[in-house]
Amino acid sequence: MSESAALGAKRPIRRALVSVFDKTGLEELARGLHAAGVQLVSTGSTAKRIADAGVPVTPVEELTGFPECLDGRVKTLHPRVHAGILADQRLEAHREQLGELGVEPFELVVVNLYPFAETVASGASDDECVEQIDIGGPSMVRAAAKNHPSVAVVVNPDRYGEVLKAVENGGFDLAARKRLAGEAFQHTAAYDVAVAGWFATYAEGDAESGAEANSPETGESAASSQFPSFLGTTYERKNVLRYGENPHQPAALYTAGGGGLAEAEQLHGKEMSYNNYVDTDAARRAAYDHTEPCVAVIKHTNPCGIAVGADVAEAHRKAHACDPLSAYGGVIAVNRPVSLAMAEQVAEIFTEVIVAPDYEDGAVEALSRKKNIRVLRCPEAPTAPAEFRPIDGGGLAQAKDAFQAAGDDPANWSLAAGEALSDEELAELAFAWRACRAVKSNAILLGKDRATVGVGMGQVNRVDSARLAVQRAGAERARGSYAASDAFFPFPDGLEVLAEAGVRAVVQPGGSVRDEQTVEAATKAGVTMYLTGTRHFFH
Ligand SMILES: NC(=O)c1ncn([C@@H]2O[C@H](COP(=O)(O)O)[C@@H](O)[C@H]2O)c1NC=O
């Protein structure tokens, strides 16, 4: 038989084993299978639902001759079940053995698993979580998937319609059974990753140094529970993208299944590209760093402008004004719903992507006047609690760079040079400090009226970043602006550039061996300087 003929070979379905936690669509499936002459065997409450729907069903106990026991821990774990799933019907020897054993084969297995991840997320006790580790279900799923030349396995209620169609048309062909088997192994693999990940966090302290190792007093164990010995996330491919960072790089989008940008709804525009996603991610990170209505305009992951305002339209006007030249073809993120007024403004500017938690009436229509702008709705704020970056042969994990009460609250900054700022001026400096976190290192950012006016990003020395920030601001806007530096000034030269441009105040972490020289330069120039003690590199 040719390969394509083999793949097209159907296996009629005569007998099905059904055991599902999620009973969505179960009655319709059972009715349809029965109507097509398929015999049903089922477990506990699944069998009860089927029987209640008026469909004949054989309880699995009748098949095994063994009662379900140990609170459901043992139901289907029996050779009469597993021999029926695992017999390779292509082999005469297997068919003969089944006959000798008096076991009938299954051609269809429909199973979905106990909700382990949902139980953990609900904050249930350890014992409750452990009880939700499904054992019999994955055993059946894996067995049926392995034996896909003889058995079709279904783990997703969305497929029930397909099952009923197949049953009426002589069963699934081999290609379809292979596809279903792949889906089934993905289902059990993701399930096991969730279980293994939970054990890695929960059991580690006990195993290493006694139960108290997980107590909050011991810093080391806190770190180890944040970085468990096993890290697993499973992703599902959502889209194949046209290409990656460059046209010769194939690329795809994967989702982790928990919402966020990867699952954002696209309301209008061309297909998102790889670079669009990268920039949109950076834009959302920048916009959500502020509690007031904020707009961030990003190009190549760096801000062309960030501003807060009384409303998003004002914030957008200010953010765009920072660097209108660079904002051409930019990516815009907003931390509030987009108003019609803001949408009208954006519609005038060539923009690649706009992402927001929502859109007010008429806003999407106004934006859609431009054919190509990609309009995304992403209701959730960015949440990643930890960051993981692949490197050759492994990966680096770190806690997210969240703002710290100690170093990021101006109330805790120390005045190192010049006169203390008024509350209003301090708020200006605090805006610059927050916005600076969104700039790739070395970062120097000038702000005025709660908007960036000059950004010096990504230079390999800090003095060049200072020059760039001043140059982009222009002499007039630089004068009297508020400057932030993501890390300390290693030499006073960067500060001197800012002072010469007439900045009013500077905020920086401090901590260089030459801090004194920088403080002296600021004092001499009459520039106020605050030290945060906290650094915000962004690479
Ligand atoms: N222990 C077993 O033999 C066993 N066999 C099937 N299950 C699971 O029991 C659930 C269905 O049970 P019920 O039909 O009672 O609602 C399914 O999610 C299935 O994956 C089992 N449960 C857990 O391991």
Side-chain angles (χ1 to χ4, degrees):
M1 199 192 291
S2 70
E3 197 185 330
S4 62
L7 285 171
K10 292 188 175 177
R11 282 206 86 83
I13 295 171
R14 287 180 281 259
R15 201 155 167 267
L17 177 58
V18 185
S19 178
V20 289
F21 179 86
D22 175 1
K23 303 208 166 39
T24 310
L26 176 63
E27 282 94 344
E28 295 87 319
L29 175 74
R31 278 194 206 102
L33 288 174
H34 174 63
V38 179
Q39 227 187 308
L40 297 178
V41 176
S42 185
T43 51
S45 68
T46 311
K48 185 170 179 319
R49 273 281 190 98
I50 294 174
D52 288 349
V55 177
V57 55
T58 306
V60 75
E61 292 94 326
E62 208 173 285
L63 191 81
T64 60
F66 202 88
E68 175 177 322
C69 63
L70 309 177
D71 299 320
R73 285 187 173 203
V74 179
K75 309 182 201 183
T76 53
L77 296 163
H78 194 282
R80 285 197 172 276
V81 173
H82 281 271
I85 301 174
L86 279 162
D88 185 341
Q89 292 293 308
R90 296 170 303 180
L91 305 178
E92 201 181 336
H94 280 204
R95 294 198 300 272
E96 272 175 20
Q97 277 185 52
L98 284 193
E100 286 159 19
L101 294 166
V103 170
E104 279 186 70
F106 293 104
E107 291 84 24
L108 174 68
V109 169
V110 180
V111 172
N112 60 58
L113 310 179
Y114 289 171
F116 174 77
E118 292 80 352
T119 307
V120 171
S122 75
S125 70
D126 287 356
D127 275 352
E128 285 166 329
C129 293
V130 167
E131 219 37 58
Q132 292 302 317
I133 299 174
D134 201 323
I135 301 298
S139 306
M140 291 186 286
V141 170
R142 288 168 54 79
K146 170 175 174 162
N147 199 26
H148 64 271
S150 300
V151 183
V153 57
V154 174
V155 293
N156 182 350
D158 290 347
R159 294 245 180 257
Y160 292 171
E162 232 176 281
V163 172
L164 294 180
K165 259 193 215 141
V167 165
E168 277 173 10
N169 292 315
F172 287 103
D173 61 23
L174 180 58
R177 293 197 301 277
K178 265 195 170 158
R179 182 173 45 78
L180 292 170
E183 203 170 297
F185 276 119
Q186 282 170 21
H187 190 57
T188 54
Y191 196 82
D192 273 348
V193 163
V195 174
W198 181 73
F199 270 101
T201 325
Y202 140 89
E204 197 160 77
D206 292 354
E208 275 174 8
S209 47
E212 72 279 12
N214 259 349
S215 85
E217 290 91 54
T218 57
E220 203 179 305
S221 61
S224 79
S225 70
Q226 198 175 1
F227 302 109
S229 57
F230 168 87
L231 202 58
T233 307
T234 49
Y235 295 97
E236 272 185 35
R237 195 185 67 207
K238 188 169 179 230
N239 280 330
V240 173
L241 302 172
R242 274 184 68 207
Y243 52 78
E245 203 162 358
N246 298 293
H248 57 272
Q249 293 173 265
L253 170 71
Y254 285 79
T255 70
L261 175 59
E263 291 180 35
E265 187 187 354
Q266 185 163 355
L267 306 173
H268 175 75
K270 284 205 301 199
E271 187 192 324
M272 287 283 285
S273 74
Y274 180 97
N275 290 329
N276 289 156
Y277 276 112
V278 173
D279 286 339
T280 306
D281 206 36
R284 273 166 42 85
R285 182 184 188 271
Y288 279 92
D289 272 347
H290 301 266
T291 47
E292 306 95 321
C294 179
V295 171
V297 185
I298 296 286
K299 279 272 282 292
H300 294 241
T301 70
N302 269 305
C304 320
I306 302 174
V308 299
D311 54 43
V312 291
E314 188 198 359
H316 174 251
R317 277 194 301 278
K318 286 159 58 178
H320 182 76
C322 173
D323 186 354
L325 180 73
S326 304
Y328 183 84
V331 167
I332 296 178
V334 195
N335 66 353
R336 297 280 200 289
V338 172
S339 62
L340 178 57
M342 177 180 167
E344 295 284 0
Q345 288 166 199
V346 173
E348 298 300 309
I349 303 158
F350 169 48
T351 299
E352 285 272 344
V353 181
I354 179 165
V355 62
D358 210 346
Y359 294 82
E360 290 177 5
D361 284 352
V364 174
E365 291 70 19
L367 290 164
S368 303
R369 288 207 301 268
K370 282 264 160 62
K371 194 167 128 243
N372 291 337
I373 183 174
R374 298 152 181 95
V375 179
L376 298 187
R377 173 167 33 221
C378 184
E380 310 93 8
T383 50
E387 290 166 359
F388 191 82
R389 177 184 295 212
I391 59 166
D392 183 30
L396 298 168
Q398 67 168 351
K400 195 183 168 195
D401 177 26
F403 286 115
Q404 312 289 310
D408 297 312
D409 182 346
N412 298 318
W413 293 351
S414 61
L415 180 63
E419 286 172 11
L421 297 184
S422 67
D423 287 351
E424 178 50 30
E425 288 179 312
L426 204 53
E428 289 282 2
L429 197 60
F431 167 80
W433 178 245
R434 283 198 161 240
C436 191
R437 196 189 84 107
V439 182
K440 294 279 179 162
S441 301
N442 291 322
I444 299 283
L445 180 145
L446 307 186
K448 222 179 205 177
D449 189 23
R450 309 284 210 286
T452 59
V453 292
V455 184
M457 70 279 280
Q459 303 303 301
V460 287
N461 67 65
R462 198 155 291 276
V463 67
D464 276 351
S465 292
R467 287 192 190 111
L468 188 56
V470 168
Q471 182 208 319
R472 281 167 179 262
E476 197 179 314
R477 289 195 300 179
R479 205 171 312 114
S481 68
Y482 297 82
S485 171
D486 66 339
F488 63 59
F489 291 93
F491 299 94
D493 51 3
L495 186 284
E496 283 161 3
V497 168
L498 299 176
E500 261 169 48
V503 304
R504 166 74 183 93
V506 176
V507 59
Q508 58 127 334
S512 158
V513 288
R514 294 184 201 82
D515 266 1
E516 248 178 59
Q517 295 176 29
T518 303
V519 168
E520 206 182 300
T523 310
K524 222 162 95 207
V527 171
T528 291
M529 187 163 74
Y530 283 90
L531 304 183
T532 66
T534 295
R535 185 181 78 183
H536 286 290
F537 269 163
F538 181 32
H539 289 111

